C-alpha cells in the first residue's frame, strides 16, 4: 500500500496556485542564488535581480545551497609569456643550491623556484652541507616578499638615488681622511672571506677606519674564552653523536645556543640501538627544548649553575676548589661521575655568559679528551665583541666618529643602551645604514640604503673553518637595492662586480674543485685543520666562579624563542603565528614564572569560556628600566627565576598586526642574559593566542607510549610488555583491537602505498616541519584573534604534553590505582589533579597531522563524498565538492581537520602576505589556494608524491629507494619523520612500520592509520 503522505521542502509548494511550483519541480534553481550574505565579491552580485524573499522560497530556509555557492571560487585567467625564457619550463620547478646566513641563523639550502619565483626552502643534503634549515630559515623565503621592505635609497628620510648617496659617502670618506676623522664599519658577524677581505682593503685605503663586529645576541664570553686558549676568535663545533653522556649547564643546544644546528648529531645518539642510547643531564632555569628532551632535567638558577659547574670541574679534573652547597647536589655529583666514567665519550656544554664559566667548559672537555668537543672546523658564525661595541658607543658620544657605515645590524632596537647610541648617532657627521627594511636604526641614519635579501645576492661564506659555501641569487632584485659589498668595491676603487670578486677569491678555498661544481653543490670542503688549544688559568677561573652570588630579587633569564629568534624577521606572519614549542603560545612574548612564585605574586593563567587562555600582567624593573609584560605560569621554571624572550616589540616597518610583544632588549644590559630584577603584579588581563590549553597527558598511554631503556633492552623480544596492543572483547574473549574490523579491506599491496613514521625519540619539537608545511601547501595565516578562537589553520601541529607527576610512568600508576569515583583515590578528583602538570614535569612532543586512515571515519560521514580514500593510502579532499558541514571534523578522533571559516586570500580582514601581490608570489602553484567554507587538512603532500612518480616515469626508471618525500619529512633535520612506500620493502619506512617500537595513534578505534609512531624510550 502506497503512502499518501505529501513531502515538501518549501512552504510555497503548499500553494497549488503558485507560479513557481511547477518550475521548481523541474529545475530547483531557476535564477542565480543571491549570496550577498556569503560572498564578498559585490561585482558578481550586481547582476542578480532575485529578491531575498524569492531566495528563501527557492531554498526553503536551507543553507546548504548557499554554502555551495559560497564555496565556488573566483576564476583568474593566466597570461602566458610573450617571450618565454629558454631556461624556464612552465610547471617545472628549478632548484638552486645556496647558503643562508643573516648574522644569527645559517643553513645550507636548496631553493625551489617556479617560473622565476623562489617559493620554498629545502635542505641541501650534498656531502659537506651539514647545517639544516630551522623554522626561521624555512620562513625566510616569505621575508623576501615583505611588502614593507625598503625599496629605494633615502637621504634624510626622502627618496633619492644610490648615485646621490654614493657621492655623499665618498665626500665624507675623503673629508674623514683629510681631517683624520674616525671611520667605523659596524656589521654583524660576516663569516664571509671575500667580504672580510674587502673590508681589510677598505681599511688599508682609509687608515682611520676600523671594523666593529656586533652580534645582537652575544656569545662574547665563549669567544673570549676560546680566544684565550687558542688565539682564535671562534666557537667550538660539537658533535653530539659521538657522546654517550651529555651534561648541559644552561645551554639550550637544541635551540639557539651558539647558533644551534646541533640537533642532527644529538638525535643520532637518542635512538636506541643494540640496547644503548646517550644519557642527557640538563641543568637550567627556563624550560627549553633541550630540557624537554633530557633524561634528567634539574631546574636551577644561574647562580647555582655556576657552582654546579665548579663541582663538576672538581670531579673531572681532581681539583679541590671550595664551593658552597649546591641545590640538587646529589644529581650534580651523579652527572659529574657518569661524565668522568664516560671519558672521551662524554661532553659538557654551558650557556652561562661568563668567561670563567666558558674556560671551565674548555678545561673539562680537555680533561675528558671528549670526541664530541671538536676544534677541527671551528664555527665562524659568531665574532662579536662586547667591549668593542661599548667602546664604539662611547666614541660616538665623544664626537670622535666621523663616518659610520652600518650593515646587517639594528642597534637602536637591539642595544639595551640604545638611547646612548641614538644620542651618539647625532654627533656622527654621516651615518649610512644598509638595511633590508627601514628599521629602527635605518629610519634615523642620514642615509638608508635598501640591501638585497640573501635570495637576491651573491656572497661566499665559511660557516665552519675549512668549509666554503656559496650564496647565489635565485631571483633578480625586486627593488632598487645595493649590496654592501658592491658599495665597498666602489669605494675601494675596484670596478669588478662582487660576483667576479668572489670567483677570483674562491680558488683558495675550494680545494681544487671547479667553480661550476662548487656553485652547483653550494658547498666545498677544504682542508680541515684543528685549532691549537692551549691552557689558561683554569684554577683561577674556577675560584672566581665559586664566589658567585645569588641575584638580588628575581633572576631574569633572557632567551630567544624558536619562532622569532633575534627579531630580524618579526614582520613574517608565518613566524608570528608559529606556536612556541614549549608554551604553545603564538603572537606574543611573555614572562615565564614558576607556579610557586606565581602563587606568591598572585599571578595566574585562566582558560576562559571560549577556550582562550588569559593571563595576568606583571611589571619587571631592572635599575631604571621598567616594562609591563603578560605572564605565563610555566611548569619547570626554576623557583626564583623568570624567563623573557628577545625579538619582540618592534614597531618600525612593521604591519600593525605584527607589532606585538615587548622589547626585552631593553633589559639586556651589558650583553648579560641574566639580570637581577623585581617583579610585581600589574593591573589588567592579557588575552593569549594559545593552541593547546590542555596541559597534561593525564595517563593516556594510548596516545604517547613510552618506556625506559632498561625495560626496552631487557624485554626487547617481548614488545607486549612495553608496547602493548590494545585489547577489546569479542565473543566474550579478549582479542587485539586491530583484529576486529567492521570494514571490508582491500588489497593494498599493488602499486604504491604511503606511510609516514614519526620517532618520538628523535623529535625535538623544533617546528621546522610546521613552517615547511605552510610553504608547500599555501596554508593561510589567520591572525591572533582567530587563533585564540581555536581556528588556526596549521595542517601539522606539534602537541606538547607534560607529566602530572614527576614522570609519565607515575601518571600511569596513579591512574591505574584509582578506586571508585569519589574520595582521595577516586577517579573524578584524581583526574582533576592530573590536569595540573608537575613543578618539574617530563615533556614529550608529538607531531600530529591527518593520519590518512585506511578505515577513515571522516569518509563515512561526508554527505557529498568530498573526502575519499586514494589507492595510494592518502585520505583526499575534493575542495569543490565540500559544502562545509564539518561532520568529518566531528568524526575525526585526531582532530586534525581545519574548517576554512573565512576567505584568507585577498581579504583586508586578514592583512598578511596573501593580501598583496608581492606576498602572493610565495604561493605554490601546485597546490590550490582554498576559498572559504571548506575543510582543509594534511594531504600527505600528494603533489610531491605524484611529481616523484611522474619524474621516474618520464626518465624511464623505477622510483629510487627513499625518493618519496613530504614537506615535513624533508624538513626534519633529526630524521624523526620518515616517509615512503611500504610496498617497496627496500624503503626505510617499510622497516619502521614493522619495527617493534611501532604503534598507531588511538589504535583501539580501528581507523588503521597510515601514520605510525615509534615508542619513546627514556634513558633513566
Amino acid at each position: 500500500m502506497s503512502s499518501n503522505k505529501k513531502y515538501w521542502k518549501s512552504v510555497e509548494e503548499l500553494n497549488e496556485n503558485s507560479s513557481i511550483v511547477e518550475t521548481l519541480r523541474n529545475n530547483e534553481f531557476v535564477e542565480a542564488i543571491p549570496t550577498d550574505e556569503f560572498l564578498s565579491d559585490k561585482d558578481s552580485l550586481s547582476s542578480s535581480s532575485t529578491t531575498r524573499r524569492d531566495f528563501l522560497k527557492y531554498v526553503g530556509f536551507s543553507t546548504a545551497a548557499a554554502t555551495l555557492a559560497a564555496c565556488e571560487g573566483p576564476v583568474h585567467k593566466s597570461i602566458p609569456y610573450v617571450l618565454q625564457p629558454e631556461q624556464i619550463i612552465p610547471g617545472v620547478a628549478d632548484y638552486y643550491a645556496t647558503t643562508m646566513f643573516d648574522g644569527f641563523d645559517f643553513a645550507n639550502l636548496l631553493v625551489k623556484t617556479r617560473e622565476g619565483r623562489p617559493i620554498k626552502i629545502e635542505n641541501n643534503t650534498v656531502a659537506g652541507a651539514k647545517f639544516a634549515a630551522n623554522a626561521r630559515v624555512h620562513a625566510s623565503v616569505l621575508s623576501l616578499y615583505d611588502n614593507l621592505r625598503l625599496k629605494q635609497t633615502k637621504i634624510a628620510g626622502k627618496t633619492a638615488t644610490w648615485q646621490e648617496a654614493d657621492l655623499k659617502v665618498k665626500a665624507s670618506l675623503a673629508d674623514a681622511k683629510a681631517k683624520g676623522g674616525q671611520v667605523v664599519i659596524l656589521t654583524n658577524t660576516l663569516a664571509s672571506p671575500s667580504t672580510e677581505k674587502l673590508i681589510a682593503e677598505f681599511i688599508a685605503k682609509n687608515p682611520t677606519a676600523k671594523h666593529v663586529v656586533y652580534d645582537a645576541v652575544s656569545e662574547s664570553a665563549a669567544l673570549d674564552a676560546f680566544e684565550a686558549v687558542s688565539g682564535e676568535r671562534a666557537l667550538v663545533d660539537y658533535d653530539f653523536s659521538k657522546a654517550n653522556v651529555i651534561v648541559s649547564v644552561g645551554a639550550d643546544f637544541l635551540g639557539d645556543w651558539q647558533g644551534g644546528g646541533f640537533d642532527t648529531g644529538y638525535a643520532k645518539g637518542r635512538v636506541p640501538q643494540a640496547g644503548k642510547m646517550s644519557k642527557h643531564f640538563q641543568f637550567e632555569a627556563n624550560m627549553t627544548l633541550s630540557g624537554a628532551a633530557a633524561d634528567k632535567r634539574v631546574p636551577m638558577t644561574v647562580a647555582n649553575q655556576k657552582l654546579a659547574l665548579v663541582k663538576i670541574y672538581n670531579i673531572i679534573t681532581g681539583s679541590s676548589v671550595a664551593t658552597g652547597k649546591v641545590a640538587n647536589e646529589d644529581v650534580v655529583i651523579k652527572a659529574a661521575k657518569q661524565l668522568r666514567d664516560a671519558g672521551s665519550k662524554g661532553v659538557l656544554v654551558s650557556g652561562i655568559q661568563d668567561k670563567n664559566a666558558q674556560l671551565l667548559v674548555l678545561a673539562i672537555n680537555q680533561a675528558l679528551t671528549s670526541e664530541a668537543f671538536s676544534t677541527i672546523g671551528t664555527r665562524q658564525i659568531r665574532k662579536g665583541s662586547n667591549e668593542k661595541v661599548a667602546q664604539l658607543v662611547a666614541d660616538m658620544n665623544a664626537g670622535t666618529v666621523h663616518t659610520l657605515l652600518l650593515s646587517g645590524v639594528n642597534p637602536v632596537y637591539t642595544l639595551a643602551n640604545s638611547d646612548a647610541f641614538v644620542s651618539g648617532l647625532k654627533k656622527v657627521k654621516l651615518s649610512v645604514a644598509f638595511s633590508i627594511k627601514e628599521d629602527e636604526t635605518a629610519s634615523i641614519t642620514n642615509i638608508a640604503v635598501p640591501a638585497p635579501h640573501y635570495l637576491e645576492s651573491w656572497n661566499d661564506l665559511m660557516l665552519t673553518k675549512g668549509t666554503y659555501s656559496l650564496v647565489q641569487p635565485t631571483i633578480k632584485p625586486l627593488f632598487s637595492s645595493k649590496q654592501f659589498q658592491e658599495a665597498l668595491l666602489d669605494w675601494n676603487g675596484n670596478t669588478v662586480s662582487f660576483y667576479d670578486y668572489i670567483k677570483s677569491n674562491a680558488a683558495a678555498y675550494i680545494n681544487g674543485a671547479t667553480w661550476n661544481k662548487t656553485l652547483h653543490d653550494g658547498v666545498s670542503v677544504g682542508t680541515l685543520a684543528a685549532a691549537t688549544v692551549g691552557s689558561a688559568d683554569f684554577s683561577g677561573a674556577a675560584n672566581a666562579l665559586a664566589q658567585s652570588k645569588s641575584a638580588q630579587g628575581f633572576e631574569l633569564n633572557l632567551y630567544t624563542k624558536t619562532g622569532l629568534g633575534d627579531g630580524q624577521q618579526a614582520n613574517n606572519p608565518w613566524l608570528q603565528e608559529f606556536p612556541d614549542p614549549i608554551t604553545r603560545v603564538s603572537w606574543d612574548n611573555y614572562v615565564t614564572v614558576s607556579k610557586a612564585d606565581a602563587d606568591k605574586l598572585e599571578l595566574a593563567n585562566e582558560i576562559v569560556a571560549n577556550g582562550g587562555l588569559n593571563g595576568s600582567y606583571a611589571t619587571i624593573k631592572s635599575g631604571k628600566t621598567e616594562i609591563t609584560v603578560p605572564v605565563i605560569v610555566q611548569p619547570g621554571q626554576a623557583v626564583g627565576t623568570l624567563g623573557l624572550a628577545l625579538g619582540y616589540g618592534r614597531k618600525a616597518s612593521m604591519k600593525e598586526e605584527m607589532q606585538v610583544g615587548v622589547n626585552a632588549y631593553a633589559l639586556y644590559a651589558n650583553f648579560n642574559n641574566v639580570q637581577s630584577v623585581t617583579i610585581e603584579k600589574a593591573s589588567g588581563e592579557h588575552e593569549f593566542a594559545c593552541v593547546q590549553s590542555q596541559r597534561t597527558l593525564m595517563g593516556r598511554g594510548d596516545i604517547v607510549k613510552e618506556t625506559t631503556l632498561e625495560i626496552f633492552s631487557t624485554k626487547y623480544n617481548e614488545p607486549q610488555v612495553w608496547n602493548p596492543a590494545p585489547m577489546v572483547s569479542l565473543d566474550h574473549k579478549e582479542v587485539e583491537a586491530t583484529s576486529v574490523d567492521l570494514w571490508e579491506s582491500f588489497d593494498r599491496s599493488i602499486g604504491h602505498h604511503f606511510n609516514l613514521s614519526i620517532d618520538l625519540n628523535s623529535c625535538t619539537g623544533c617546528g621546522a616541519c610546521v613552517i615547511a608545511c605552510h610553504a608547500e601547501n599555501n596554508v593561510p595565516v589567520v591572525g591572533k584573534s582567530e587563533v585564540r578562537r581555536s581556528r588556526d589553520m596549521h595542517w601539522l601541529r606539534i602537541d606538547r604534553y607534560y607529566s602530572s607527576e614527576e614522570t609519565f610512568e607515575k601518571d600511569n600508576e596513579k591512574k591505574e590505582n584509582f578506586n571508585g569515583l569519589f574520595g582521595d583515590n577516586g577517579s573524578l578528583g584524581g583526574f582533576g589533579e592530573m590536569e595540573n602538570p608537575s613543578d618539574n614535569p617530563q615533556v614529550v612532543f608529538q607531531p600530529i597531522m591527518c593520519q590518512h586512515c585506511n578505515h577513515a571515519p571522516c569518509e563515512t560521514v561526508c554527505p557529498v563524498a568530498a573526502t575519499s580514500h586514494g589507492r595510494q593510502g592518502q585520505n583526499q579532499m575534493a575542495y569543490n565538492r565540500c559544502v562545509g558541514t564539518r561532520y568529518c571534523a566531528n568524526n575525526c578522533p585526531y582532530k586534525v581537520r581545519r574548517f576554512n571559516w573565512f576567505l584568507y586570500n585577498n581579504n583586508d580582514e586578514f592583512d598578511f602576505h596573501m593580501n598583496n601581490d608581492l606576498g602572493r608570489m610565495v604561493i605554490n602553484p601546485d597546490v590550490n589556494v582554498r576559498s572559504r567554507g571548506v575543510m582543509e587538512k594534511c594531504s600527505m603532500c600528494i603533489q610531491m608524491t605524484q611529481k616523484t612518480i611522474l619524474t621516474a616515469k618520464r626518465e624511464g626508471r623505477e622510483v629510487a629507494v627513499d625518493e618519496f618525500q613530504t614537506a615535513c619529512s624533508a624538513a626534519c633535520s633529526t630524521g624523526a619523520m620518515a616517509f615512503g612506500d611500504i610496498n617497496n620493502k627496500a624503503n626505510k619506512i617499510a622497516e619502521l612500520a614493522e619495527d617493534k617500537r611501532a604503534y598507531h595513534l588511538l589504535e583501539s578505534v580501528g581507523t588503521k592509520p597510515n601514520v605510525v609512531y615509534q615508542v619513546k624510550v627514556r634513558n633513566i
Side-chain angles (χ1 to χ4, degrees):
M1 179 176 174
S2 63
S3 172
N4 292 323
K5 291 183 179 178
K6 184 174 182 179
Y7 294 92
W8 50 274
K9 56 187 173 183
S10 170
V11 291
E12 188 68 18
E13 290 186 50
L14 298 178
N15 182 3
E16 291 292 336
N17 298 320
S18 172
S19 59
I20 69 168
V21 169
E22 189 62 28
T23 308
L24 277 173
R25 286 174 179 159
N26 298 319
N27 184 2
E28 186 176 6
F29 303 120
V30 293
E31 293 182 50
I33 300 174
T35 54
D36 54 314
E37 295 290 321
F38 300 89
L39 290 177
S40 58
D41 188 359
K42 296 179 180 178
D43 294 335
S44 67
L45 300 174
S46 59
S47 61
S48 173
S49 59
T50 309
T51 67
R52 179 177 174 85
R53 181 180 179 185
D54 286 341
F55 169 63
L56 294 176
K57 291 177 182 177
Y58 297 158
V59 300
F61 298 93
S62 169
T63 60
T67 307
L68 276 171
C71 296
E72 185 175 324
V75 176
H76 298 285
K77 295 183 178 180
S78 299
I79 301 174
Y81 287 110
V82 178
L83 294 172
Q84 181 179 319
E86 292 182 6
Q87 301 89 343
I88 292 179
I89 303 174
V92 176
D94 289 315
Y95 293 83
Y96 295 87
T98 190
T99 309
M100 186 268 194
F101 179 58
D102 63 3
F104 190 75
D105 292 311
F106 50 91
N108 302 110
L109 309 175
L110 292 178
V111 181
K112 179 182 179 181
T113 67
R114 281 293 301 268
E115 288 73 57
R117 297 177 294 114
I119 63 170
K120 189 168 182 286
I121 299 298
E122 297 189 1
N123 290 321
N124 189 350
T125 56
V126 72
K130 62 181 293 184
F131 295 116
N134 61 21
R136 297 185 296 270
V137 175
H138 277 287
S140 64
V141 67
L142 182 57
S143 294
L144 169 68
Y145 302 117
D146 188 343
N147 202 34
L148 293 181
R149 282 179 58 184
L150 182 58
K151 299 178 177 65
Q152 287 184 296
T153 299
K154 289 189 175 182
I155 299 176
K158 296 182 180 179
T159 301
T161 64
W162 161 248
Q163 289 73 19
E164 293 173 301
D166 190 33
L167 289 174
K168 284 185 175 291
V169 175
K170 287 177 177 176
S172 183
L173 293 175
D175 186 52
K177 193 172 185 179
K179 296 178 179 177
Q182 190 179 111
V183 177
V184 178
I185 299 176
L186 180 64
T187 71
N188 55 7
T189 298
L190 297 168
S192 167
S194 291
T195 308
E196 288 170 357
K197 184 180 177 184
L198 268 178
I199 290 176
E201 292 169 356
F202 178 87
I203 292 173
K205 191 176 179 65
N206 300 274
T208 61
K210 69 176 183 178
H211 180 206
V212 178
V213 180
Y214 166 47
D215 295 324
V217 180
S218 175
E219 290 289 351
S220 196
L223 291 165
D224 294 342
F226 191 71
E227 190 174 23
V229 299
S230 71
E232 179 185 348
R233 192 165 184 80
L235 296 172
V236 174
D237 193 25
Y238 294 89
D239 184 354
F240 289 98
S241 67
K242 297 179 179 178
N244 292 340
V245 177
I246 302 165
V247 177
S248 170
V249 183
D252 182 17
F253 57 87
L254 296 180
D256 294 332
W257 175 76
Q258 295 191 1
F262 300 107
D263 49 350
T264 303
Y266 175 80
K268 289 178 181 177
R270 299 297 290 170
V271 177
Q273 300 287 345
K276 295 182 179 180
M277 62 183 285
S278 62
K279 182 70 175 284
H280 175 190
F281 293 90
Q282 185 82 13
F283 304 94
E284 62 182 12
N286 297 342
M287 173 67 83
T288 67
L289 291 180
S290 302
D295 297 303
K296 182 62 178 178
R297 176 186 180 272
V298 179
M300 187 178 281
T301 66
V302 174
N304 265 307
Q305 289 173 34
K306 292 177 179 179
L307 298 179
L309 193 57
V310 178
K311 290 274 186 186
I312 296 170
Y313 170 78
N314 284 341
I315 292 173
I316 299 298
T317 65
S319 301
S320 55
V321 178
T323 61
K325 182 75 174 175
V326 182
N328 296 105
E329 188 166 319
D330 56 333
V331 184
V332 173
I333 292 173
K334 179 182 178 182
K337 288 181 177 179
Q338 291 195 20
L339 188 62
R340 181 189 60 194
D341 295 343
S344 62
K345 291 295 183 181
V347 67
L348 179 138
V349 292
S350 178
I352 300 172
Q353 293 301 311
D354 183 300
K355 182 179 177 181
N356 292 320
Q358 294 301 325
L359 282 171
L360 292 195
V361 172
L362 301 177
I364 290 168
N365 286 309
Q366 280 186 4
L368 292 169
T369 62
S370 172
E371 295 176 17
F373 175 84
S374 175
T375 60
I376 300 174
T378 51
R379 290 189 169 208
Q380 308 293 306
I381 45 84
R382 298 287 187 271
K383 291 289 185 74
S385 170
N386 297 348
E387 292 179 3
K388 291 182 179 179
V389 173
Q391 185 60 50
L392 170 62
V393 176
D395 289 346
M396 289 167 60
N397 281 281
T400 60
V401 178
H402 183 283
T403 304
L404 180 63
L405 307 173
L406 304 100
S407 175
V409 293
N410 184 10
V412 174
Y413 167 65
T414 57
L415 271 179
N417 58 334
S418 62
D419 289 344
F421 185 89
V422 172
S423 65
L425 197 63
K426 295 175 182 176
K427 298 176 182 179
V428 175
K429 292 191 176 179
L430 183 72
S431 55
V432 184
F434 287 77
S435 177
I436 289 180
K437 305 192 74 174
E438 194 175 3
D439 56 30
E440 290 80 359
T441 302
S443 60
I444 63 172
T445 54
N446 302 126
I447 299 174
V449 182
H453 191 270
Y454 79 93
L455 292 174
E456 304 169 314
S457 310
W458 284 104
N459 205 352
D460 62 356
L461 293 167
M462 191 170 284
L463 301 176
T464 56
K465 198 171 185 179
T467 304
Y468 184 73
S469 305
L470 288 175
V471 181
Q472 66 170 318
T474 57
I475 189 173
K476 286 185 176 181
L478 298 173
F479 307 115
S480 300
S481 55
K482 186 72 175 181
Q483 194 168 346
F484 180 58
Q485 291 88 340
E486 293 281 1
L488 281 175
L489 281 166
D490 184 22
W491 298 333
N492 289 347
N494 196 333
T495 57
V496 303
S497 67
F498 189 47
Y499 166 80
D500 291 326
Y501 188 84
I502 294 170
K503 194 173 180 180
S504 65
N505 293 327
Y509 305 107
I510 59 178
N511 202 32
T514 64
W515 167 261
N516 284 344
K517 176 171 173 53
T518 305
L519 189 61
H520 173 271
D521 293 349
V523 64
S524 175
V525 180
T527 303
L528 301 177
T532 303
V533 181
S535 186
D537 185 9
F538 296 134
S539 180
N543 278 293
L545 205 63
Q547 306 306 313
S548 300
K549 303 296 182 185
S550 298
Q552 297 297 316
F554 278 82
E555 184 184 275
L556 175 66
N557 289 262
L558 299 168
Y559 68 100
T560 54
K561 278 179 69 173
T562 305
L564 284 199
D566 65 348
Q568 290 187 58
Q569 296 192 73
N571 203 48
N572 190 311
W574 285 350
L575 294 178
Q576 288 282 9
E577 193 147 295
F578 173 75
D580 181 76
I582 300 295
T583 64
R584 309 295 290 137
V585 173
S586 61
W587 292 99
D588 258 316
N589 67 338
Y590 33 77
V591 61
T592 54
V593 187
S594 70
K595 181 69 165 59
D597 289 330
D599 290 342
K600 291 178 184 177
L601 296 165
E602 297 182 344
L603 303 171
N605 289 140
E606 178 188 11
I607 299 173
V608 293
N610 66 357
L613 180 70
N614 287 4
S616 307
Y617 280 103
T619 300
I620 299 174
K621 295 180 182 178
S622 176
K624 296 181 180 179
T625 305
E626 177 181 314
I627 62 172
T628 299
V629 62
V631 172
I632 287 287
V633 179
Q634 176 61 55
Q637 184 79 31
V639 175
T641 70
L642 310 171
L644 181 60
L646 302 165
Y648 286 79
R650 294 192 59 182
K651 304 295 181 186
S653 294
M654 296 276 295
K655 287 189 175 181
E656 184 179 352
E657 293 85 352
M658 282 171 276
Q659 294 179 21
V660 296
V662 298
N663 184 5
Y665 281 110
L667 297 168
Y668 192 37
N670 300 317
F671 300 98
N672 191 344
N673 65 339
V674 180
Q675 300 287 332
S676 295
V677 300
T678 61
I679 180 173
E680 60 182 25
K681 185 176 182 179
S683 60
E685 192 173 54
H686 186 78
E687 295 184 346
F688 289 106
C690 181
V691 298
Q692 183 171 317
S693 56
Q694 154 128 24
R695 285 168 277 188
T696 67
L697 197 60
M698 293 174 65
R700 288 172 292 192
D702 53 345
I703 295 177
V704 174
K705 291 187 179 183
E706 65 168 41
T707 187
T708 64
L709 181 62
E710 181 183 5
I711 294 174
F712 175 77
S713 55
T714 57
K715 303 285 186 180
Y716 180 74
N717 291 318
E718 302 175 54
Q720 66 274 14
V721 174
W722 49 270
N723 185 15
M727 309 297 285
V728 295
S729 176
L730 178 67
D731 296 332
H732 306 290
K733 295 179 182 178
E734 199 173 56
V735 298
E736 290 190 8
T738 52
S739 66
V740 181
D741 209 339
L742 297 176
W743 296 67
E744 179 182 347
S745 293
F746 297 91
D747 181 7
R748 300 188 179 92
S749 63
I750 301 171
H752 302 291
H753 190 82
F754 297 116
N755 268 208
L756 176 68
S757 172
I758 300 173
D759 194 332
L760 300 181
N761 263 51
S762 301
C763 180
T764 64
C766 72
C769 54
V770 175
I771 303 297
C773 177
H774 259 66
E776 175 67 30
N777 295 297
N778 303 329
V779 176
V781 174
V782 301
K784 180 177 180 179
S785 177
E786 291 300 298
V787 172
R788 182 170 165 79
R789 291 178 170 88
S790 302
R791 293 177 179 175
D792 63 285
M793 295 301 295
H794 295 104
W795 284 13
L796 162 63
R797 71 177 191 265
I798 303 178
D799 287 342
R800 179 269 301 129
Y801 294 109
Y802 294 135
S803 64
S804 176
E805 302 294 312
E806 289 181 6
T807 65
F808 286 103
E809 182 55 36
K810 288 186 178 180
D811 284 3
N812 293 335
E813 290 174 8
K814 181 172 182 176
K815 183 191 76 169
E816 289 167 5
N817 289 326
F818 285 156
N819 185 9
L821 290 176
F822 307 102
D824 295 338
N825 205 32
S827 59
L828 288 181
F831 276 117
E833 290 177 6
M834 291 182 74
E835 289 181 3
N836 298 316
S838 166
D839 290 337
N840 181 29
Q842 276 191 346
V843 186
V844 68
F845 297 107
Q846 186 176 47
I848 302 285
M849 68 292 289
C850 175
Q851 302 292 293
H852 295 273
C853 309
N854 288 317
H855 295 171
C858 56
E859 296 168 12
T860 58
V861 294
C862 182
V864 291
T867 181
S868 59
H869 210 70
R871 287 289 303 175
Q872 296 174 348
Q874 290 124 323
N875 174 255
Q876 300 170 344
M877 276 297 304
Y879 297 123
N880 280 5
R881 294 186 65 90
C882 179
V883 296
T885 62
R886 293 182 285 151
Y887 296 161
C888 56
N890 290 336
N891 218 36
C892 174
Y894 309 105
K895 301 306 167 193
V896 289
R897 289 174 165 260
R898 298 286 180 263
F899 183 62
N900 205 323
W901 288 92
F902 298 98
L903 178 69
Y904 303 110
N905 175 37
N906 202 21
N907 186 343
D908 290 342
E909 294 296 320
F910 300 92
D911 190 16
F912 305 110
H913 66 288
M914 285 189 179
N915 197 40
N916 62 77
D917 290 338
L918 185 64
R920 281 193 292 270
M921 285 179 70
V922 82
I923 286 175
N924 181 3
D926 292 333
V927 179
N928 183 41
V929 176
R930 285 74 62 186
S931 188
R932 67 172 157 189
V934 302
M935 297 300 303
E936 296 188 21
K937 66 165 195 70
C938 161
S939 66
M940 210 175 259
C941 290
I942 190 169
Q943 71 281 0
M944 293 179 67
T945 57
Q946 294 310 300
K947 176 185 177 297
T948 302
I949 293 169
L950 292 173
T951 299
K953 183 178 180 180
R954 188 176 65 249
E955 296 175 358
R957 61 175 176 82
E958 290 186 358
V959 177
V961 173
D962 295 326
E963 184 178 358
F964 286 114
Q965 290 286 1
T966 58
C968 57
S969 66
C972 185
S973 58
T974 64
M977 291 182 173
F979 177 78
D981 176 12
I982 59 169
N983 286 341
N984 182 348
K985 298 306 177 184
N987 283 339
K988 181 182 179 182
I989 187 65
E991 178 185 348
L992 289 169
E994 300 298 326
D995 191 87
K996 287 185 169 70
R997 285 204 295 140
Y999 76 97
H1000 292 104
L1001 193 58
L1002 301 180
E1003 214 161 14
S1004 58
V1005 179
T1007 55
K1008 297 191 181 299
N1010 282 317
V1011 177
V1012 59
Y1013 292 85
Q1014 307 294 324
V1015 171
K1016 186 172 181 66
V1017 180
R1018 296 186 186 272
N1019 190 359
I1020 298 175

